[in-house]
């Protein structure tokens, strides 16, 4: 019996070469997915030597799409998005629209018709969530306000791109049949789009109404078997099964997998589901990038160098300038504008998905897919330099341009307390820095005891909401002395720093002690090394998250074993 080893050889070559090149990329401080794309190039038809089976690679890519989108859904937080919704939603929509138009203009100059140019421009408009999260995590900015805005912005882009992936097949069917006559095409447009949107709406309703109850319940039943193997199988079966149903209904593995992950996040077992599915998500995501790399034609760099440079310029300059202008228009600081714009100065997995699907549907020529891939490779490789340039560019702009200095000095309505603020918030109050999960609990405890406090928070939307509730709050980074001054730190009784970033704590403590030598300072930290250092330097009262959790649990256990008259060795 003759064995067909195409699947095994394709997977073996893909994983093996991706491992080597991914390792090299990481050592060079370049995202590993650049190595995976190069691995695909090496086993693709454009380079000599072994050529993997393209048909099998495409099916593996489909599985990669499913697990990529399932992972996005598992980590999608509506709460994180809502906390920055006023800038992330309009900003992302406007940025994608303007970047798409910019890409279209270049594509039409190169001779593409408007429909193909639109898809090409759209594929250049969406940045990579994978690359962004890696960059922010490396810089320690994932939990900062700038990081939350950038992530929220990318979430909106992800959702918009998922919608684009759903609507691309009917758009292709309509656009490519335009020779049948205007009336027929218009009727076809309405019917096809209407049918697709009807299926999508029904699917989303079913997932949110029934799926949010059925899937978590089903996972609990499986978890009760205490079989890790069955639990992992259940997670994978749900992801692939729902994605397959979505493909049958409206030709989108992506949306089905995304909602499967999003609904599964509602379960108490979501963390376990994410952990158990992680190896599969990582493995098939690698195969997706490898299969995309197989489609890349390296000759595009030689045959169309000017087009390649133009694509890179759209991604790294056009999108950057658009995003920075939008953030400044929303009256956020220059540092936030530069951080968000650097985050968007690349394209990645969603651009690959759009280009790959567009080629399958006949909406993009392979040459332009290669241009998208070339732009992605170059922009991802150079993206760390964009982050490194943030501080030098900020200093240069402030030193050269009076307009930029005016932007930094401009009056911010939420940067100071209103003139009508009650006296109790100006003397003997608590200054609470940070209004996240910890800060909110502290604020609630203070409110219950009628202890006045002023919140200092970097999230302007949060400050707006607090002001609407009649609470005292100022907007800004509390490491800036002006923010603590506006919170009346000079007359405060206690400074509570509810943010865990150690470098910020030192700067805030220095400002507070300079203006109010007798102030009591209470800080939190999550670092294992910081508590000892902070206490030795006399910063104030330090609460270490692990220590406090262990202390609370120990006290509970000890309390349960308090000696009683009838039995001194068993719980009371």
């Amino acid at each position: 019996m003759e064995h067909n080893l195409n699947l095994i050889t394709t997977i073996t070559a893909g994983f093996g070469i991706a491992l080597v090149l991914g390792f090299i990329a990481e050592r060079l401080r370049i995202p590993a997915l650049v190595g995976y794309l190069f691995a695909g190039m090496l086993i693709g038809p454009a380079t000599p030597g072994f050529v993997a089976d393209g048909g099998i690679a495409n099916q593996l890519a489909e599985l990669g799409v499913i697990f990529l989108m399932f992972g996005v859904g598992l980590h999608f937080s509506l709460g994180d998005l809502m906390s920055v919704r006023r800038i992330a939603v309009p900003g992302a929509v406007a940025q994608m629209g303007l970047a798409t138009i910019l890409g279209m203009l270049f594509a039409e100059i190169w001779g593409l018709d408007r429909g193909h140019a639109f898809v090409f421009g759209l594929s250049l408009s969406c940045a990579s969530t994978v690359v962004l999260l890696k960059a922010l995590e490396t810089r320690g900015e994932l939990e900062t306000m700038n990081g939350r805005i950038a992530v929220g912005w990318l979430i909106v882009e992800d959702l918009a791109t998922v919608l684009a992936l759903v609507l691309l097949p009917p758009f292709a069917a309509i656009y490519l049949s335009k020779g049948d006559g205007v009336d027929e095409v218009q009727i076809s447009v309405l019917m096809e789009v209407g049918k697709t949107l009807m299926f999508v709406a029904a699917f989303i309703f079913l997932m949110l109404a029934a799926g949010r109850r059925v899937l978590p319940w089903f996972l609990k039943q499986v978890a009760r078997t205490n079989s890790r193997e069955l639990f992992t199988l259940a997670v994978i079966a749900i992801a692939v099964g729902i994605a397959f149903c979505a493909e049958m209904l409206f030709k989108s593995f992506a949306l089905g997998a995304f909602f499967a992950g999003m609904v599964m996040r509602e379960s108490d077992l979501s963390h376990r589901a994410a952990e158990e599915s992680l190896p599969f998500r990582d493995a098939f995501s690698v195969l997706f990038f490898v299969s995309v790399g197989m489609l890349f034609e390296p000759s595009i760099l030689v045959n169309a160098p000017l087009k390649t440079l133009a694509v890179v310029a759209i991604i790294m300059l056009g999108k950057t300038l658009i995003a920075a202008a939008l953030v400044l228009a929303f009256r956020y600081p220059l540092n936030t504008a530069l951080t968000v714009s650097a985050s968007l100065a690349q394209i990645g997995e969603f651009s690959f998905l759009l280009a790959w699907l567009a080629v399958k549907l006949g909406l993009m020529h392979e040459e332009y897919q290669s241009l998208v891939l070339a732009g992605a490779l170059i922009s991802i490789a150079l993206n760390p330099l964009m982050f490194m340039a943030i501080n030098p560019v900020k200093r240069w702009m402030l030193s050269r341009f009076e307009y930029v200095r005016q932007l930094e000095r401009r009056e911010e309505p939420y940067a100071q307390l209103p003139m009508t603020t009650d006296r109790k918030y100006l003397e003997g109050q608590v200054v609470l820095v940070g209004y996240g999960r910890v800060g909110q609990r502290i604020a609630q405890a203070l409110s219950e005891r009628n202890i006045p406090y002023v919140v200092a928070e970097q999230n302007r939307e949060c400050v707006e909401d607090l002001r609407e509730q009649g609470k005292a709050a100022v907007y800004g980074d509390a490491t800036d002395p002006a923010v603590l001054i506006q919170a009346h730190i000079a007359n405060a009784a206690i400074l509570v720093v509810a943010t865990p970033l150690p470098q910020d704590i030192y700067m805030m403590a220095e400002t507070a002690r300079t203006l109010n030598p007798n102030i009591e300072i209470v800080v939190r930290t999550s670092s294992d090394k910081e508590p000892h250092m902070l206490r030795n330097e006399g910063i104030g009262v330090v609460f270490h998250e692990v220590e406090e959790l262990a202390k609370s649990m120990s006290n509970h256990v000890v309390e349960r074993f308090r000696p009683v008259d009838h039995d001194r060795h068993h719980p009371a």
Side-chain angles (χ1 to χ4, degrees):
M1 181 178 178
E2 184 178 349
H3 293 283
N4 188 335
L5 301 178
N6 286 351
L7 174 62
I8 295 175
T9 53
T10 300
I11 292 176
T12 302
F15 279 146
I17 300 174
L19 171 63
V20 174
L21 296 185
F23 175 77
I24 293 172
E26 285 287 344
R27 293 301 297 267
L28 296 174
R29 299 187 181 277
I30 299 171
L33 68 86
V34 175
Y36 306 153
L37 292 168
F38 274 108
M41 290 166 52
L42 289 180
I43 63 174
T47 54
F50 171 76
V51 177
D53 188 306
I56 289 175
N58 281 338
Q59 293 191 46
L60 293 174
E62 296 276 19
L63 282 171
V65 170
I66 291 172
F67 284 103
L68 266 174
M69 295 304 301
F70 180 66
V72 171
L74 270 175
H75 293 94
F76 174 74
S77 171
L78 189 59
D80 290 345
L81 175 59
M82 294 304 291
S83 69
V84 293
R85 64 191 181 281
R86 293 189 181 99
I87 182 175
V89 175
V93 172
Q95 181 265 316
M96 286 189 73
L98 292 172
T100 299
I101 292 171
L102 187 60
M104 283 180 66
L105 291 175
F106 276 86
E108 289 186 6
I109 291 172
W110 296 333
L112 288 185
D113 60 55
R114 184 150 297 177
H116 289 77
F118 168 74
V119 177
F120 176 73
L122 185 63
S123 67
L124 300 182
S125 68
C126 45
S128 167
T129 309
V130 174
V131 174
L132 169 68
L133 293 176
K134 180 70 172 177
L136 292 176
E137 187 177 13
T138 300
R139 291 171 56 84
E141 294 192 18
L142 194 56
E143 298 299 326
T144 64
M145 192 59 228
N146 290 346
R148 290 201 293 271
I149 291 174
V151 172
W153 195 298
L154 262 291
I155 288 174
V156 177
E157 285 196 0
D158 289 351
L159 293 174
T161 311
V162 169
L163 181 61
L165 289 169
V166 171
L167 295 177
L168 211 53
F171 174 77
I174 294 161
Y175 187 78
L176 297 177
S177 65
K178 59 186 178 183
D180 296 338
V182 177
D183 293 338
E184 289 87 348
V185 170
Q186 289 178 344
I187 294 172
S188 179
V189 167
L190 294 175
M191 291 183 62
E192 195 66 32
V193 172
K195 184 173 69 173
T196 300
L197 291 177
M198 183 181 67
F199 279 131
V200 170
F203 175 80
I204 292 174
F205 175 79
L206 184 64
M207 291 298 295
L208 295 180
R212 292 173 70 176
R213 295 178 175 83
V214 174
L215 293 184
W217 174 84
F218 176 69
L219 278 182
K220 284 183 181 179
Q221 305 312 306
V222 175
R224 287 175 180 171
T225 65
N226 294 321
S227 170
R228 180 176 179 178
E229 176 184 318
L230 271 179
F231 187 84
T232 304
L233 181 61
V235 172
I236 295 171
I238 289 171
V240 176
I242 293 176
F244 181 76
C245 292
E247 173 69 14
M248 293 296 100
L249 285 173
F250 43 83
K251 304 297 180 186
S252 178
F253 282 120
L255 188 65
F258 173 79
F259 271 96
M262 198 176 90
V263 169
M264 201 170 290
R265 181 185 170 87
E266 299 291 320
S267 170
D268 295 336
L269 299 166
S270 59
H271 289 293
R272 182 179 172 187
E275 183 181 346
E276 298 291 348
S277 64
L278 183 61
F280 294 91
R281 287 189 281 130
D282 286 345
F284 283 102
S285 296
V286 168
L287 290 176
F288 168 72
F289 291 121
V290 169
S291 65
V292 170
M294 289 175 62
L295 303 173
F296 180 60
E297 288 286 345
S299 59
I300 197 76
L301 301 175
V302 177
N303 298 334
L306 294 180
K307 288 183 179 180
T308 303
L309 285 175
V311 168
V312 174
I314 292 170
I315 296 168
M316 302 197 70
L317 292 179
K319 288 176 60 183
T320 297
L321 294 174
I322 290 170
L326 288 169
V327 175
L328 291 174
F330 280 96
R331 303 183 66 84
Y332 277 81
L334 179 60
N335 186 64
T336 300
L338 293 175
T339 301
V340 173
S341 59
S343 302
L344 300 173
Q346 39 81 14
I347 59 173
E349 60 274 7
F350 276 110
S351 297
F352 303 152
L353 280 171
L354 281 168
W356 176 68
L357 181 59
V359 169
K360 282 181 61 178
L361 297 171
L363 286 173
M364 185 181 289
H365 303 303
E366 292 184 356
E367 174 193 358
Y368 287 89
Q369 182 186 34
S370 293
L371 284 173
V372 172
L373 297 179
L377 284 167
I378 296 170
S379 64
I380 289 171
L382 296 179
N383 192 243
L385 300 179
M386 298 291 287
F387 279 96
M388 291 171 60
I390 289 175
N391 289 329
V393 168
K394 180 181 177 181
R395 288 194 296 268
W396 179 78
M397 292 180 70
L398 289 172
S399 65
R400 292 294 185 91
F401 303 106
E402 176 61 26
Y403 175 69
V404 175
R405 290 194 290 271
Q406 290 176 0
L407 285 176
E408 287 293 280
R409 293 197 301 265
R410 67 187 172 186
E411 184 178 349
E412 166 57 54
Y414 294 101
Q416 53 189 358
L417 293 175
M419 296 295 292
T420 56
T421 301
D422 196 304
R423 190 76 183 173
K424 67 181 180 180
Y425 297 110
L426 308 180
E427 291 182 358
Q429 83 283 12
V430 175
V431 174
L432 175 60
V433 177
Y435 201 71
R437 289 178 296 179
V438 174
Q440 289 175 26
R441 285 168 171 77
I442 296 172
Q444 183 179 357
L446 294 174
S447 296
E448 290 171 353
R449 291 161 179 79
N450 294 318
I451 299 173
Y453 62 91
V454 177
V455 175
E457 171 59 54
Q458 291 188 68
N459 186 339
R460 187 197 299 149
E461 297 178 17
C462 175
V463 173
E464 290 180 31
D465 293 339
L466 288 171
R467 292 277 186 94
E468 290 174 1
Q469 297 168 25
K471 298 180 180 177
V474 293
Y475 161 68
D477 184 351
T479 57
D480 181 356
V483 175
L484 290 181
I485 290 172
Q486 292 299 330
H488 289 256
I489 193 71
N491 301 318
I494 300 177
L495 169 65
V496 179
V497 182
T499 60
L501 301 177
Q503 65 271 25
D504 293 349
I505 292 171
Y506 291 101
M507 299 173 70
M508 295 175 202
E510 182 181 357
T511 300
R513 287 268 160 76
T514 300
L515 298 173
N516 188 346
N518 297 320
I519 193 170
E520 181 179 351
I521 300 177
V522 179
V523 302
R524 64 173 278 215
T525 178
S526 56
S527 168
D528 291 333
K529 298 178 181 178
E530 287 299 324
H532 183 68
M533 295 173 58
L534 290 167
R535 287 167 184 149
N536 282 347
E537 295 188 22
I539 292 294
V541 181
V542 181
F543 289 89
H544 183 226
E545 294 174 358
V546 175
E547 286 180 2
E548 296 307 315
L549 176 61
K551 187 186 299 181
S552 297
M553 295 179 71
S554 300
N555 288 342
H556 175 77
V557 173
V558 170
E559 184 70 17
R560 292 281 291 150
F561 278 82
R562 279 189 309 171
V564 292
D565 293 338
H566 64 277
D567 192 340
R568 300 177 61 88
H569 300 290
H570 291 86

